[in-house]
Amino acid sequence: MSYCLATYRVYDDKADFNKKAQSIAIGMTVGSWTELPQAKRDEMQKHLGSVQSVEVHDGGPGERYADLTIAYPDVNFSRDIPALLVTVFGKISMDGRIKLTKLGFSETFRSAFPGPKFGIEGLRERLGVFDRPLLMSIFKSVIGLNLDELSEQFTRQALGGVDLIKDDEILFENALTPIEKRVEACIKAAEAAERETGKKLLYAANLTGPTSQLKAQALKAIDAGANALLFNVLAYGYDVLHELSSDPAVSVPIAAHPSLAGAVYPSPHYGISASVLLGQLMRLAGADLVLFPSPYGSVTMPREENMAIRDELITPELSLKASMPVPSAGIHPGLVPFIVRDFGTDVVVNAGGGIHGHPMGTEAGGRAFVQAIEAVQQNVPLAEYARSHAELQSALDVWGGEQ
Amino acid sequence: MSYCLATYRVYDDKADFNKKAQSIAIGMTVGSWTELPQAKRDEMQKHLGSVQSVEVHDGGPGERYADLTIAYPDVNFSRDIPALLVTVFGKISMDGRIKLTKLGFSETFRSAFPGPKFGIEGLRERLGVFDRPLLMSIFKSVIGLNLDELSEQFTRQALGGVDLIKDDEILFENALTPIEKRVEACIKAAEAAERETGKKLLYAANLTGPTSQLKAQALKAIDAGANALLFNVLAYGYDVLHELSSDPAVSVPIAAHPSLAGAVYPSPHYGISASVLLGQLMRLAGADLVLFPSPYGSVTMPREENMAIRDELITPELSLKASMPVPSAGIHPGLVPFIVRDFGTDVVVNAGGGIHGHPMGTEAGGRAFVQAIEAVQQNVPLAEYARSHAELQSALDVWGGEQ
């Protein structure tokens, strides 16, 4: 029998956790069991959830919890993420202190998902960069800008030598910079910059608007030359990402923004773990790049949680292309050695303020990051490399370096 | 200038909350302010968020918090719920202990939403019931049932005298009971029951499957005779509900299920309040009925939070039809007086186990609720009414009555 797994952390000072696990396994599948006649039981057996494991941790009052793993027969739900989530966490999400901490996808279920169309490798092929971390820059303060201003900011970022530039996630479809005009202007700026830097650039345009129009918007952007898209997945639902990413016509990498995720993952007692929300489900739904709060910067997440996201994005245990991890927020050049230590080279170094806020300007901000990446690749301490690289030196002076 | 409001509760033992509010108002709109030249400021003024109020509550370490209200200019975002949520809570949801506790919709923004197509009044008209709480029954243990079994369970519920019957939210599109067959069988059973009871019945069929196919599924169900739909809103996103509910072809009431909501509302420190999640946003998105955990039953929610959801569903301050409140889970006939005390008559008394688990069977379970509603309408204590109503007496014996 084929089934998907869900692991929960349940806090309770007194509960019999084995009984609790049984009641979830029955309650979320066939509804009742002990009162069923034997003939009915035989018939319903294939629908019955089962307890896989119960691990109790008793740290005293307020700290007594258990990790329960339940198996849900695939035959009970359709092959889509809404059905899986409603099955494993729909009703019980509201039943006391319970957090969904891990999913296990059966091959039967998984096979309905093509996953990332490009993934880490496809992304590298598109950029022609195979041996180093990628560098992404984020537009800053774009609300109210017109096409010329946007294009100028794009050029300054591009000339700094970044590999990807992404829209701000709060830039929605608007009269000043509608997506097809924005893409046209930015791709034109990208091509001009590429001629100067010799570096290929991807521009991720923010895909927004009514759900039913997103595909048309994506195609409009792609027709205008877009070579990547940004998407606020949690504002729309994983299934929407899945439908976009698995559509052959949506022929560019999709970067998933973690917008709103903080409403779900940070509590120890409720919600869904970051590794499920921003790891497992984003990859299953087909995100080629996944942004999440880094453990270094201003909007922080514990390092362990970060590493759990990374693991889910790249684990070969899931038969899908790997999604590129993009730890974000508060990133400056001095952090590059830590990013590479934690993520290896398959990572996007993603900066906003750390590029635009550089004392020598946005272009120099990009160059400082390029230099930091070079130093790490050559195994040279940043401080040493900075002696012959003014932009990096300036960045280290402002934001500090290796600690 | 027209703007939408967002109120946050922010916990912090030390923060300068006025500064925090300012930083949200600027950071979530124009990005930066003090460093802008005056000419640029004049230009950007219309995009700048502003602090409406800061109320600090200092209850000592761990209990120092503030309620911050920020105004977001409508010009910054498109007229859809994903854009609003990303604007007001996208990034800052991940920035420490912060919970979104209230939204305020400008008339400009609100006017893009037709809201519930039927609402409380339209629902009452469809049922021809104007002066009492409605009664809803939930299918139980439906996974694995075939059409005959489903139809039989439907009939038993219908003959008990309920007004609405809803699918279990974990019943997805499946080979045994595909939606059009299920609707056909249940509506046939409903018509037979109606001839017997003289009562009109609505059957809410669970709308599931890929997002892009939901409208087609809804129309398929409606073509087959469906007179209501059930929808797991949070598994799909509010915009999907909005698009369905505002589509003229989707000509039946939609009941919103709170599935997965517990991943978002229960923490005091993170997430989105139940009154926003299951109140304001469900009504804005067009839910005619909204289910939520009751303050009485097995899956409980504090009474104050329940009353806040109710208020948002019906407040005349929002220029949209009122959504019908459906406090759910653990409801038995003895609770009817409390439900009416808290919600008045504009409420759906919604029961699963409280109907199917009746000692005299499912039909009697429905009748016990009908009797409890009659008693409350006639202002007769349940225990007294039960003397001449065996089904109610039996229910009170099992589950207890007024406390």
Side-chain angles (χ1 to χ4, degrees):
Chain A
M1 199 169 78
S2 175
Y3 47 77
C4 288
L5 297 172
T7 302
Y8 312 92
R9 180 158 289 184
V10 179
Y11 279 80
D12 198 309
D13 284 351
K14 290 176 195 160
D16 176 339
F17 286 120
N18 286 294
K19 213 171 138 189
K20 175 82 184 170
Q22 273 300 344
S23 94
I24 294 175
I26 296 171
M28 300 293 279
T29 57
V30 298
S32 53
W33 191 250
T34 45
E35 59 264 45
L36 294 183
Q38 189 59 47
K40 193 74 194 164
R41 283 198 201 183
D42 293 345
E43 204 180 294
M44 296 301 277
Q45 185 70 47
K46 68 173 183 290
H47 298 288
L48 178 65
S50 63
V51 178
Q52 298 291 297
S53 65
V54 174
E55 289 173 35
V56 180
H57 306 254
D58 197 344
E63 285 304 324
R64 183 171 181 271
Y65 64 85
D67 293 320
L68 319 176
T69 298
I70 311 289
Y72 292 90
D74 287 336
V75 68
N76 290 1
F77 47 92
S78 47
R79 308 270 168 275
D80 55 84
I81 295 177
L84 177 70
L85 288 178
V86 168
T87 295
V88 308
F89 206 45
K91 197 153 37 186
I92 52 166
S93 73
M94 296 176 277
D95 193 10
R97 296 190 157 194
I98 183 166
K99 185 168 183 173
L100 177 65
T101 58
K102 176 116 179 147
L103 291 170
F105 309 124
S106 68
E107 184 52 27
T108 307
F109 183 78
R110 206 282 312 150
S111 66
F113 297 84
K117 201 177 274 157
F118 300 90
I120 293 178
E121 281 185 36
L123 198 66
R124 288 194 174 286
E125 272 163 30
R126 289 227 143 185
L127 287 165
V129 176
F130 300 93
D131 55 353
R132 61 162 172 83
L134 302 175
L135 178 59
M136 174 148 75
S137 173
I138 309 169
F139 271 105
K140 196 196 164 195
S141 304
V142 291
I143 287 183
L145 295 196
N146 61 31
L147 285 171
D148 286 346
E149 291 164 327
L150 207 71
S151 172
E152 198 234 317
Q153 193 183 126
F154 189 97
T155 298
R156 280 186 284 128
Q157 296 175 87
L159 291 177
V162 303
D163 303 296
L164 305 103
I165 297 176
K166 78 163 197 63
D167 270 346
D168 198 334
E169 82 281 0
I170 56 166
L171 184 65
F172 305 101
E173 193 57 11
N174 69 94
L176 279 174
T177 54
I179 196 163
E180 73 279 16
K181 301 277 180 203
R182 196 160 88 229
V183 165
E184 212 176 87
C186 290
I187 291 297
K188 203 176 139 197
E191 286 166 355
E194 282 173 20
R195 282 190 293 272
E196 208 157 312
T197 62
K199 267 184 173 172
K200 175 83 188 147
L201 249 171
L202 294 183
Y203 163 53
N206 196 22
L207 188 59
T208 68
T211 306
S212 63
Q213 303 304 311
L214 290 171
K215 183 183 167 183
Q217 281 288 101
L219 298 187
K220 204 197 273 184
I222 292 167
D223 279 351
N227 49 20
L229 293 166
L230 178 70
F231 189 50
N232 289 306
V233 180
L234 294 169
Y236 287 96
Y238 291 103
D239 191 61
V240 177
L241 172 59
H242 163 60
E243 291 206 286
L244 285 167
S245 72
S246 57
D247 192 317
V250 181
S251 55
V252 300
I254 301 176
H257 196 280
S259 185
L260 297 170
V264 184
Y265 69 72
S267 166
H269 301 124
Y270 303 102
I272 302 175
S273 290
S275 54
V276 176
L277 206 67
L278 301 174
Q280 294 190 287
L281 292 172
M282 288 295 189
R283 185 173 173 196
L284 188 71
D288 297 290
L289 304 102
V290 179
L291 283 78
F292 50 88
S294 81
Y296 321 106
S298 48
V299 174
T300 56
M301 178 186 278
R303 184 161 176 272
E304 190 182 299
E305 229 170 316
N306 244 259
M307 298 299 93
I309 296 176
R310 175 205 61 190
D311 291 348
E312 297 297 353
L313 293 179
I314 63 176
T315 176
E317 280 173 34
L318 188 65
S319 310
L320 293 174
K321 291 195 178 99
S323 304
M324 181 67 101
V326 190
S328 302
I331 304 294
H332 58 77
L335 293 171
V336 172
F338 300 100
I339 296 173
V340 174
R341 173 199 68 194
D342 290 341
F343 291 88
T345 50
D346 279 341
V347 69
V348 173
V349 175
N350 180 31
I355 284 182
H356 299 286
H358 192 283
M360 298 158 69
T362 298
E363 279 186 54
R367 280 198 292 271
F369 272 103
V370 170
Q371 292 160 6
I373 291 170
E374 286 167 2
V376 170
Q377 288 296 98
Q378 295 168 29
N379 229 347
V380 177
L382 293 191
E384 190 182 320
Y385 204 77
R387 274 181 227 138
S388 53
H389 295 86
E391 294 89 347
L392 178 57
Q393 185 60 60
S394 172
L396 296 181
D397 290 346
V398 180
W399 292 297
E402 289 145 304
Q403 284 116 15
Chain B
M1 200 169 77
S2 176
Y3 46 77
C4 288
L5 298 172
T7 303
Y8 312 92
R9 180 158 289 184
V10 179
Y11 280 81
D12 198 311
D13 284 350
K14 290 176 195 159
D16 176 339
F17 286 121
N18 287 294
K19 211 171 139 188
K20 175 81 185 171
Q22 273 299 344
S23 94
I24 293 174
I26 296 171
M28 299 293 279
T29 57
V30 300
S32 53
W33 191 249
T34 46
E35 58 265 45
L36 295 183
Q38 190 58 46
K40 194 73 194 162
R41 283 196 201 184
D42 294 345
E43 205 179 294
M44 297 302 277
Q45 185 70 47
K46 69 172 183 290
H47 297 287
L48 179 64
S50 63
V51 178
Q52 297 291 297
S53 66
V54 175
E55 289 173 35
V56 181
H57 306 254
D58 197 344
E63 285 303 323
R64 183 171 180 270
Y65 65 84
D67 293 320
L68 319 176
T69 298
I70 311 288
Y72 292 90
D74 287 336
V75 68
N76 291 1
F77 47 92
S78 47
R79 309 269 168 275
D80 55 85
I81 295 176
L84 178 71
L85 288 178
V86 169
T87 295
V88 308
F89 206 45
K91 198 152 38 184
I92 51 165
S93 73
M94 295 176 277
D95 194 10
R97 294 189 159 196
I98 183 167
K99 184 168 183 173
L100 177 63
T101 57
K102 175 113 180 149
L103 291 171
F105 310 124
S106 68
E107 184 50 27
T108 308
F109 184 77
R110 205 281 313 151
S111 66
F113 297 83
K117 199 176 276 157
F118 299 90
I120 293 178
E121 282 185 35
L123 198 67
R124 287 195 174 286
E125 273 163 30
R126 289 227 141 186
L127 287 166
V129 176
F130 300 94
D131 55 353
R132 61 162 173 84
L134 301 176
L135 178 59
M136 174 148 76
S137 173
I138 310 168
F139 271 106
K140 196 196 163 195
S141 303
V142 291
I143 288 184
L145 295 196
N146 62 30
L147 285 171
D148 286 345
E149 291 164 327
L150 208 70
S151 173
E152 198 235 317
Q153 192 182 127
F154 188 96
T155 298
R156 279 186 284 128
Q157 296 174 88
L159 291 178
V162 304
D163 303 297
L164 305 102
I165 297 176
K166 78 162 199 64
D167 270 346
D168 199 334
E169 82 282 359
I170 56 167
L171 184 66
F172 305 101
E173 192 57 10
N174 69 95
L176 279 174
T177 55
I179 196 164
E180 73 278 17
K181 300 277 181 205
R182 196 160 87 230
V183 165
E184 212 175 86
C186 289
I187 291 298
K188 201 175 140 199
E191 287 166 355
E194 281 173 20
R195 282 191 292 273
E196 207 156 314
T197 62
K199 267 185 171 171
K200 174 83 188 148
L201 251 170
L202 294 182
Y203 163 53
N206 196 22
L207 189 59
T208 68
T211 305
S212 63
Q213 302 305 309
L214 290 171
K215 183 183 166 182
Q217 280 288 102
L219 299 187
K220 204 197 272 184
I222 293 168
D223 279 351
N227 50 18
L229 292 166
L230 177 71
F231 189 49
N232 288 305
V233 180
L234 293 169
Y236 286 96
Y238 291 103
D239 191 61
V240 177
L241 172 60
H242 164 60
E243 291 205 286
L244 286 168
S245 72
S246 57
D247 192 318
V250 181
S251 54
V252 300
I254 301 176
H257 196 280
S259 185
L260 296 171
V264 184
Y265 70 72
S267 166
H269 301 125
Y270 303 102
I272 302 175
S273 289
S275 55
V276 176
L277 206 67
L278 301 175
Q280 294 191 288
L281 292 172
M282 287 295 188
R283 184 173 173 197
L284 188 71
D288 297 290
L289 304 101
V290 179
L291 283 78
F292 49 88
S294 81
Y296 321 106
S298 49
V299 173
T300 57
M301 178 186 278
R303 184 160 175 272
E304 192 182 297
E305 228 170 316
N306 244 258
M307 298 299 93
I309 296 176
R310 175 205 60 190
D311 291 348
E312 297 298 353
L313 292 180
I314 64 174
T315 176
E317 280 173 34
L318 188 64
S319 310
L320 293 174
K321 291 196 179 98
S323 304
M324 180 67 100
V326 191
S328 303
I331 304 295
H332 58 78
L335 293 172
V336 172
F338 300 100
I339 297 173
V340 174
R341 174 198 68 193
D342 291 341
F343 291 88
T345 49
D346 279 341
V347 69
V348 174
V349 175
N350 180 31
I355 285 182
H356 299 286
H358 193 283
M360 298 157 69
T362 298
E363 280 186 54
R367 280 198 293 270
F369 272 103
V370 170
Q371 293 159 5
I373 291 171
E374 287 167 0
V376 171
Q377 287 297 99
Q378 296 169 29
N379 227 352
V380 176
L382 293 192
E384 191 182 320
Y385 203 76
R387 273 180 227 138
S388 52
H389 295 87
E391 293 90 346
L392 178 57
Q393 185 61 59
S394 172
L396 296 181
D397 290 346
V398 179
W399 293 298
E402 288 145 304
Q403 284 116 16

